[in-house]
Amino acid sequence: MSAVKTYKNLIGGEWVASRSGKTFENLNPANTDDVVGIFQASDQNDVNDAVAAAQKAFETWRLVPAPRRAEIIFRAGELLTQRKEQYAKDMTREMGKVLKETRGDVQEAIDTAYFMAGEGRRLFGATVPSELPNKFAMAIRVPLGVVGMIAPWNFPMAIPSWKLFPALVCGNTCVIKPAEDTPLSTFNLVQTLIDAGLPKGVINIVTGFGPEAGAPIVNHPDVRAISFTGSSEVGRIVGEAAAKSFKPCSLEMGGKNAIIVLDDANISLAIDGAVWGAFGTTGQRCTAASRMIVQKGAYNEFVDKFVAKAKSLKVGDGLDEKNEMGPQINEQQINTSIKYVDIGKKEGAKVLAGGNRLEGAHKKGWFFEPTIFGDGNAKMRIAQEEIFGPVATVIPVSSVEEAVEIANGTPYGLSSSLYTRDVNKAFRAIRDIYAGITYINAPTIGAEVHLPFGGVKATGNGHREGGLGAVDFYTQWKSVYIDYSDKLQRAQIDTGE
Ligand code: UN1
């Protein structure tokens, strides 16, 4: 095995060690003997350096015409396409999800690059008539300045791309802290941007842990906005800290997403969706389907087939193409799955599939069986709290109305799904489900990058990533009035009456 590589922070275009000299290891979750890389354990001093570099770079980057900035993002999209396979392999090695999915993760960054590159020639504002003669009025989008970004480990390239690409096209400079479990994919993404021609200091990477490296970004007075993706628990801390300095703060957090299956649904289609929704990414998506709300007439058939499919899933190292589900990300996540299986049993739900950590050939990694609870009810903790692992609960219901009420009855509101052949029921559910995303006859995962992504209640604080939601977050409005009358015209007073 070759020597383990050490990765440094990127500050002002230079690769530098943390000032404290501290580092941490990035482990392969499928085999913890495999150290993917050594990364810098940064703190306040490193963050100060990174913010200063970003602020300096902002002076010139903001003046680069948006179409030129966008060309760099476009070239990054082209380079990512060429490097997709290698970056997918790196990602599977550090994050665990199977190659098909990490290719999808890189693809999501490519899609975001092309979409946002187009925005460089739009970034539409508004021109409107003035109420006064010989006066011109418009609202234009201007960048914010230095933006701080804190990214999660489950989509280690896609989610940083959702944050970086729109922020850059809009003219901001960035300080990003990738998740400590998956920093390599952010390095790959940023290396691509450098190779595409991004000037020094426009992006800065500071690796490390939340309290030491994340909090100083959020609290820094020169950081103008924060974009965070992670748990609702940490999001609350980030949001409260950002509020103290009135920073705009986009929080993208947890989910307890439901798939509703009605009696008239195509059941085999619903099963395929349920398996993909619950066990894709080992259940570690904020959009994962962790509740199956199934109408009684379809319940037995659904449960039998869902359980059979879950039991047949091949679990193992994601680098081996025959495997269908990879490991969990770390010890803490697998312990959470173990804990919730125990809670579910005590609450009276029945384990119909899985329920255990995999040992034997799997023991060097954090592998957990695809797990299904049957006879769940909406009030159980396993049906209320986000587990972020391959654990799903099936809940029987009598009607679509009851199903929608249960789907809405958690603290979260990210994604939702309904399987039916009845168009009337589909449209009513779209109207009545309180969530940021609703799928009909498709599972809760699979958002496309040009539509707004985000949710309500404990899932988010009103902002959206993806689509034009991102442009809204990474720009601010400036209203501009140009008076060419050559005299004082008082708005609301010189009305000509
Ligand atoms: C996440 O789970 O944090 O729709 C993001 C999806 C993916 C993005 C998921 N495109 O599941």
Side-chain angles (χ1 to χ4, degrees), residues 365-437:
W366 290 299
F367 292 99
F368 201 78
E369 291 175 310
T371 299
I372 298 173
F373 277 108
D375 295 337
N377 76 54
K379 298 278 171 277
M380 290 174 172
R381 285 183 65 192
I382 52 168
Q384 284 289 322
E385 297 172 21
E386 185 176 48
I387 301 173
F388 227 65
V391 182
T393 302
V394 194
I395 303 167
V397 290
S398 306
S399 65
V400 63
E401 289 78 15
E402 186 188 355
V404 169
E405 195 183 318
I406 290 175
N408 287 343
T410 76
Y412 299 102
L414 179 54
S415 190
S416 54
S417 148
L418 174 75
Y419 282 81
T420 182
R421 287 174 166 124
D422 183 331
V423 68
N424 296 356
K425 288 184 176 141
F427 270 93
R428 284 186 198 135
I430 293 167
R431 184 191 61 197
D432 295 338
I433 293 175
Y434 193 60
I437 306 171

Side-chain angles (χ1 to χ4, degrees), residues 108 154-155 159 162 229 284-287 439 444-447 453:
E108 202 158 335
N154 65 338
F155 277 79
I159 292 182
W162 292 359
T229 302
Q284 302 174 123
R285 293 197 189 211
C286 51
T287 53
Y439 293 90
T444 53
I445 67 182
F453 181 91

